[in-house]
Structures are given as C-alpha cells and as structure tokens.
C-alpha cells in the first residue's frame, strides 16, 4: 500500500529528501547529536537526518530539539524544499547576466532541457534533475562550490565551458547515456559515477576532469 493520505513525520521527510538528493548519510550522525531529543531518532535514521541538517535544509527548534517524530507541517515542508532546491529553472532559456557575475548563495535546480546557465557563481549545490530528460544543458562560466548532481542529460550533451565544478555525481537510470563535454578553462574535481556516462574534453586549456571514480 502507498497510504497516500497518511501524515509524514520530520524524520521520514528528511530521509526521502536525503535519498532523492543522494546526500551522504554515512558519518553524518554527528550533526544531530547536539539536539536534546536525539534519542528519539532511530539509529538507522540518524545519518539521513544528519545529512539534511548538515546541509541546513532542516533546522531545529529554539528549544534545541529537532522533533523527528512530529508530523511535518505544510509550511515546514515548503521551507525544506525551498532550501534544498534553491533557485529553480524549469523552462528552456538563457539564465544569468550577459557580462557581470551573479552570485547565488544557496542551491540551483535545473529541471528542463535546453537551459543555458551563464556567468553564475553558485555557493551551494547544483541539481540537474530527471526533468532534463535526454535534453541538453550548457554551463558557461559557472562555478559550483558544492556538489553537482546529474540525473538527466542526453547524448548531445551537457556542455561545460570555462566552468569550475567542485564535485560531480552522475546518476541517470533511464534513457540515453549522458555525454559531458568540458572545454575552455573548465576544471572538474571529483567525478563519481553511479551510472554510465561519456566524458569528453574539447578545446580545453585547463585540467578538465581531475579524478573519475
């Protein structure tokens, strides 16, 4: 059964979000140890909840409790999703200024094909969701301080030009195998492959893909 009318508590909401965004649940239980009601969190759930707390998507209450078994309210759910998804680009187009650099303090989520993001500094994470499908994405002069999660993209490519990506996780389980092309002064740090991908370097003047595993 799916029990679609059941309430969902804060712990389970955190587990769902942690799973969808593939946050690192290993070793993150320390993030919840300071809450007074940490004993209310099942041992198996501490890593998931800790990962969401560490990313500051879920916050505690003023009395230093996290209330993991409390049903999450609609307002709390909206805040949770807003912090996790950040700025959302869900239709094709060009985003970012033509010349100067735009800084985004939180995360960015791209959920449509044919999005070109340019001249943008992302201080959080970048999510390329399954909504991209087998479509194309361009990142021109984009830097991501956090992690880039790639769940979409097709054979005609995610083009990365003059970009700096700290950590990349590729996990696309449907459709075409994505192709990621790095060019110009692009530097891509640790690339973790959960599913297949085609990596290419074209007209590259910097180190491109650093470590692939």
């Amino acid at each position: 059964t799916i029990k679609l009318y059941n309430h969902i508590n804060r712990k389970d909401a955190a587990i769902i979000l942690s799973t969808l965004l593939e946050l690192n649940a290993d070793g993150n239980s320390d993030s919840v140890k300071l809450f007074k009601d940490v004993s209310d969190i099942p041992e198996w759930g501490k890593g998931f909840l800790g990962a969401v707390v560490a990313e500051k998507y879920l916050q505690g209450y003023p009395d230093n409790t996290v209330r993991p078994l409390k049903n999450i309210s609609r307002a709390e759910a909206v805040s949770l999703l807003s912090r996790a998804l950040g700025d959302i680009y869900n239709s094709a187009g060009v985003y970012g200024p033509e010349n100067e650099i735009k800084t985004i303090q939180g995360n960015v989520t791209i959920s449509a094909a044919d999005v070109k993001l340019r001249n943008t500094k992302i201080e959080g994470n970048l999510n390329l969701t399954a909504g991209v499908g087998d479509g194309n994405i361009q990142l021109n002069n984009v830097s991501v301080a956090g992690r880039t999660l790639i769940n979409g993209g097709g054979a005609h490519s995610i083009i990365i030009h003059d970009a700096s990506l700290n950590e990349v996780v590729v996990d696309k389980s449907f459709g075409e195998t994505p192709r990621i092309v790095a060019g110009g002064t692009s530097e891509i740090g640790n690339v973790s492959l959960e599913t297949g991908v085609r990596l290419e370097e074209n007209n590259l003047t910097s180190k491109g893909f650093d470590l692939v595993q």
Side-chain angles (χ1 to χ4, degrees):
T1 59
I2 195 169
K3 301 180 181 177
L4 68 165
Y5 294 113
N6 276 19
H7 293 288
I8 183 169
N9 63 40
R10 286 164 56 84
K11 166 185 63 68
D12 289 342
I15 290 172
I16 291 170
L17 187 64
S18 179
T19 303
L20 287 174
L21 297 182
E22 301 188 33
L23 303 181
N24 181 16
D26 297 329
N28 262 314
S29 58
D30 287 347
S31 300
V32 296
K33 287 182 178 179
L34 296 180
F35 292 116
K36 293 192 298 186
D37 54 351
V38 63
S39 60
D40 292 340
I41 308 171
E43 198 62 37
W44 57 266
K46 287 180 180 177
F48 293 102
L49 186 58
V52 175
V53 170
E55 292 283 351
K56 299 182 180 179
Y57 301 155
L58 186 72
Q59 299 177 344
Y61 292 94
D63 63 354
N64 200 32
T65 62
V66 70
R67 304 179 196 176
L69 304 182
K70 173 183 175 289
N71 289 335
I72 192 168
S73 68
R74 282 178 291 185
E76 288 174 335
V78 169
S79 295
L80 178 67
L81 292 173
S82 178
R83 294 189 194 104
L85 300 180
D87 288 15
I88 301 174
Y89 303 118
N90 56 9
S91 60
V94 179
Y95 300 92
E98 185 174 357
N99 296 309
E100 68 272 14
I101 300 295
K102 176 182 178 181
T103 298
I104 298 176
Q105 300 292 334
N107 297 340
V108 169
T109 296
I110 297 176
S111 59
D114 299 319
V115 168
K116 179 180 179 180
L117 183 63
R118 66 186 183 186
N119 300 330
T120 301
K121 180 181 179 182
I122 302 170
E123 296 193 345
N125 301 323
L126 172 61
N127 302 311
L128 306 184
T129 75
V132 174
D134 292 329
N136 303 329
I137 298 292
Q138 292 186 47
L139 303 177
N140 289 351
N141 195 24
V142 171
S143 65
V144 182
R147 188 184 65 161
T148 300
L149 176 61
I150 298 176
N151 294 135
H156 295 96
S157 303
I158 298 170
I159 305 295
I160 302 171
H161 191 78
D162 294 341
S164 175
L165 307 183
N166 181 38
E167 177 188 359
V168 176
V169 176
V170 180
D171 189 1
K172 186 189 177 192
S173 56
F174 65 94
E176 299 175 353
T177 298
R179 173 174 173 252
I180 303 175
V181 181
T185 59
S186 293
E187 296 185 2
I188 298 96
N190 185 31
V191 181
S192 298
L193 306 182
E194 303 295 331
T195 54
V197 66
R198 183 176 173 184
L199 302 178
E200 296 183 10
E201 296 175 342
N202 185 32
N203 294 324
L204 191 68
T205 59
S206 191
K207 63 182 181 180
F209 297 104
D210 187 15
L211 176 65
V212 180
Q213 56 186 4

